Amino acid sequence: MRPAEPAKKLRPARTTATRQRLFDASMELIGERGAAGVTVDEIAAAAGVSKGTVYYNFGSKSDLIAQLLRHGVDILKARLMGAPDGGTGQDPLLAMEAMIGQAMDFMAEYPSFARLWVSENWRTPSEWQGTFTLLRAELLAVISEAVENVAKAYPVDPSVSRGSLETAIFGACFVVGLDRQTYNPERTRNQSVAAIMAIMRGYVIQQPAPQG
Amino acid sequence: MRPAEPAKKLRPARTTATRQRLFDASMELIGERGAAGVTVDEIAAAAGVSKGTVYYNFGSKSDLIAQLLRHGVDILKARLMGAPDGGTGQDPLLAMEAMIGQAMDFMAEYPSFARLWVSENWRTPSEWQGTFTLLRAELLAVISEAVENVAKAYPVDPSVSRGSLETAIFGACFVVGLDRQTYNPERTRNQSVAAIMAIMRGYVIQQPAPQG
DNA sequence: CTATTCAAACTGACCAGTCAGTTCAAATAG
DNA sequence: CTATTTGAACTGACTGGTCAGTTTGAATAG
């Protein structure tokens, strides 16, 4: 039997471990060489598992990758929402800074996921179009809330589209994180956070031109 | 004979046109489905040329892509440097805004190039590692100069690493441009520019609100 | 006893790169 | 002005290899 959805609750004993190994192995390989550049045989070998097991647990290479994306986003979301004092009544700008710090840590810890994301995200008709749309919305919602809190506590520039701003922050996190790992390993986490936070400081209204 | 460098001066008649058609076709296809996802046969067919011609003009699929990257960067660089009043003594912040506007126009006009760039840029051992390092440096140099001009004309936050800031701007241009095309076509060019410019406004030091 | 994993063979499609041969425009010769 | 030559540009069938996905039957573990 090859179930479309392998029993998740019934026998998670071996399965859970196997899936985790497959996630780890494919995250690494796919991040390095791209989804199309990695073979199922390689993934199986790297996970120390037979090829048949991959097809038993995931129906196809495509499904494996879709679930890999979901897996990574769950981790990232948890980090962003778990940023110290994300919710309580602290300074929203500090909360924002903590959140971006968490994002940078995530990019450093899972660079392969970040590469997978930026590699496949904007492909026009992609097998994972729907997956990306959904996951992107989930992540943006977290960012949106943090920006919203800033906008409630500070005067912000109303001429700046909130959505575009969130997109810029979202994208900058990935790009700055990846660039640091690839081209500028000497840059510190805090430098990266500060550069991205410049977006927020520019969004908060500076005293209007002394016209009145 | 199959020259490594096809006669550039002697018989550029057909060759130039052929190469341009191959650039156009492969930019489109590779942007959509990724470098590994497109076959040389497809590229040849889309360019209305035989497969052999591809190998006659470019030594390999890999070379074709490397030259494609160079081609696109040349166009982008020309746009950025040609931004209205990029050099003269105008307000550097306005010059910066014009440059980012040019970048957004480029992303809208050559979305496939932008996708190719973000797809392959951060792969760890990539065939085009050297190519990317070089081209990236060229583009960053243009941005760097514009930021430098701002820093000369305005007081800026010295605690922000110039390099990280430039990276953030560079990356934000690609991501915001691509996101607009893929997920938010209703957003305007100017909204995108404004969101990215928030980085610069956050970099320029705001005086503490004077009595008022 | 059943869910899971294994190993290995198999298929059918696909693909990068090659090569022997063809086209064509310009140069040269008559 | 016509005929011939030359070689860059181009062609497309072919090769050797790869890969996703399937199947099978046996082993192992909960």
Side-chain angles (χ1 to χ4, degrees):
Chain A
M1 264 300 265
R2 183 162 289 117
E5 295 180 14
K8 285 174 183 172
K9 309 280 168 67
L10 303 179
R11 296 288 172 92
R14 270 185 300 171
T15 301
T16 301
T18 299
R19 291 188 153 224
Q20 188 59 50
R21 292 225 304 278
L22 280 170
F23 277 150
D24 293 343
S26 33
M27 192 87 91
E28 184 67 22
L29 288 171
I30 292 175
E32 275 174 11
R33 311 214 304 271
V38 175
T39 71
V40 175
D41 291 282
E42 281 174 312
I43 293 172
V49 138
S50 82
K51 188 180 185 176
T53 300
V54 176
Y55 282 92
Y56 179 81
N57 282 282
F58 308 91
S60 65
K61 185 185 183 183
S62 193
D63 275 12
L64 165 61
I65 293 172
Q67 295 193 36
L68 195 59
L69 289 168
R70 157 59 64 193
H71 184 65
V73 166
D74 282 345
I75 297 176
L76 175 54
K77 245 176 73 179
R79 297 272 186 107
L80 295 185
M81 298 197 302
D85 247 319
T88 72
Q90 203 186 339
D91 178 0
L93 269 182
L94 288 181
M96 190 93 211
E97 192 162 345
M99 200 176 84
I100 291 173
Q102 290 292 317
M104 295 315 297
D105 291 342
F106 176 85
M107 301 299 159
E109 196 167 348
Y110 301 92
S112 291
F113 175 83
R115 276 193 283 268
L116 170 58
W117 184 272
V118 297
S119 288
E120 305 292 339
N121 191 11
W122 296 284
R123 292 222 194 296
T124 25
S126 156
E127 315 178 51
W128 308 290
Q129 182 93 356
T131 301
F132 272 114
T133 304
L134 182 71
L135 297 179
R136 194 188 94 104
E138 289 184 20
L139 290 173
L140 273 177
V142 180
I143 296 177
S144 186
E145 199 193 328
V147 173
E148 177 82 16
N149 287 336
V150 171
K152 274 191 224 151
Y154 292 87
V156 294
D157 185 344
S159 74
V160 171
S161 140
R162 181 87 48 101
S164 298
L165 189 87
E166 287 155 4
T167 297
I169 294 171
F170 185 42
C173 285
F174 276 87
V175 174
V176 170
L178 281 173
D179 243 69
R180 180 154 75 100
Q181 135 130 11
T182 309
Y183 297 104
N184 301 96
E186 81 283 3
R187 292 196 186 139
T188 69
R189 178 197 119 121
N190 287 343
Q191 283 177 326
S192 303
V193 172
I196 298 172
M197 277 301 288
I199 306 183
M200 286 312 295
R201 288 196 304 276
Y203 180 48
V204 173
I205 274 191
Q206 356 191 346
Q207 72 177 58
Q211 62 186 12
Chain B
M1 263 298 265
R2 183 162 289 118
E5 295 179 14
K8 284 174 183 172
K9 309 281 168 68
L10 303 179
R11 295 280 182 94
R14 268 186 299 174
T15 301
T16 301
T18 299
R19 289 188 155 224
Q20 187 58 51
R21 290 224 304 278
L22 281 170
F23 276 151
D24 293 343
S26 32
M27 191 86 91
E28 183 68 22
L29 288 171
I30 292 175
E32 275 173 10
R33 310 216 303 273
V38 175
T39 71
V40 176
D41 289 280
E42 282 174 311
I43 293 172
V49 136
S50 84
K51 188 178 190 176
T53 299
V54 177
Y55 283 91
Y56 178 80
N57 282 282
F58 307 92
S60 65
K61 186 185 183 184
S62 192
D63 275 12
L64 165 61
I65 292 172
Q67 295 193 38
L68 195 60
L69 289 169
R70 158 58 65 192
H71 184 64
V73 166
D74 283 344
I75 297 175
L76 175 53
K77 246 176 73 180
R79 297 272 186 108
L80 295 185
M81 298 196 303
D85 250 319
T88 71
Q90 206 186 339
D91 179 359
L93 269 183
L94 288 180
M96 190 94 212
E97 192 162 345
M99 202 175 83
I100 291 173
Q102 290 292 317
M104 295 316 296
D105 290 342
F106 176 86
M107 301 300 159
E109 195 167 346
Y110 300 92
S112 291
F113 175 83
R115 275 191 285 268
L116 170 58
W117 184 272
V118 298
S119 287
E120 305 292 339
N121 191 9
W122 296 283
R123 290 222 196 296
T124 26
S126 155
E127 314 178 51
W128 307 290
Q129 182 91 356
T131 301
F132 272 114
T133 304
L134 181 71
L135 297 179
R136 194 188 93 103
E138 288 185 21
L139 290 173
L140 274 178
V142 180
I143 296 177
S144 187
E145 198 192 330
V147 173
E148 177 83 16
N149 287 336
V150 171
K152 276 191 223 153
Y154 292 86
V156 294
D157 185 344
S159 74
V160 171
S161 140
R162 182 86 49 100
S164 298
L165 189 87
E166 288 155 4
T167 298
I169 294 170
F170 185 41
C173 285
F174 276 87
V175 173
V176 171
L178 281 173
D179 244 69
R180 179 153 75 101
Q181 134 132 10
T182 309
Y183 298 104
N184 301 97
E186 81 283 2
R187 294 199 186 137
T188 69
R189 179 197 118 119
N190 288 343
Q191 283 178 326
S192 303
V193 173
I196 298 172
M197 276 301 288
I199 305 182
M200 286 311 295
R201 287 196 304 277
Y203 181 48
V204 172
I205 280 188
Q206 13 191 333
Q207 320 69 336
Q211 79 296 345

